[in-house]
Amino acid sequence: MIFLRFGLVYFLTAVIDYAVFWVGLRATGGGILAAQIAGRAASIPFNYLAVRSKVFASTARHEETAPKYIALYAVAFVLSYLMIRLLSDAFAASWPA
């Protein structure tokens, strides 16, 4: 059951992230970094709270869990941004499509 909850939370997180990212690309005329920051800023609170409460049913204090979560998300953000840049440069993608 935990995998179903985990998958659903991450699916919904991705929907929020990509929807805001796409709007951000349109609004900035293709600014990948700004669009990605907007997408992550919109999806992080939902993901953190949903994973913490619905997936893992954690009762740990936010002061303990939030910094670890934010550090992990920061690493994922950097890797994601680098992959987007690499792929868009490699395929000469123009943003927004």
Side-chain angles (χ1 to χ4, degrees), residues 14-33:
V15 168
I16 294 167
D17 195 326
Y18 288 124
V20 175
F21 177 77
W22 186 251
V23 170
L25 280 177
R26 297 278 183 199
T28 63
I32 295 171
L33 182 58

Side-chain angles (χ1 to χ4, degrees), residues 8-14 16 41-51 69:
L8 179 60
V9 166
Y10 274 93
F11 173 76
L12 293 174
T13 299
I16 294 167
S43 67
I44 284 173
F46 167 77
N47 184 268
Y48 171 73
L49 294 172
V51 166
Y69 176 85

Side-chain angles (χ1 to χ4, degrees):
M1 189 65 166
I2 192 169
F3 292 115
L4 181 60
R5 289 191 306 251
F6 189 77
L8 179 60
V9 166
Y10 274 93
F11 173 76
L12 293 174
T13 299
V15 168
I16 294 167
D17 195 326
Y18 288 124
V20 175
F21 177 77
W22 186 251
V23 170
L25 280 177
R26 297 278 183 199
T28 63
I32 295 171
L33 182 58
Q36 188 172 16
I37 290 170
R40 295 297 162 96
S43 67
I44 284 173
F46 167 77
N47 184 268
Y48 171 73
L49 294 172
V51 166
R52 185 176 187 278
S53 66
K54 302 299 180 197
V55 176
F56 298 115
S58 175
T59 58
R61 296 167 35 103
H62 288 290
E63 292 84 0
E64 296 172 18
T65 59
K68 294 174 187 175
Y69 176 85
I70 291 168
L72 178 63
Y73 227 89
V75 170
F77 175 85
V78 169
L79 293 174
S80 175
Y81 177 74
L82 291 174
M83 288 302 296
I84 291 169
R85 291 299 320 177
L86 178 72
L87 292 172
S88 65
D89 291 347
F91 295 105
S94 75
W95 297 96

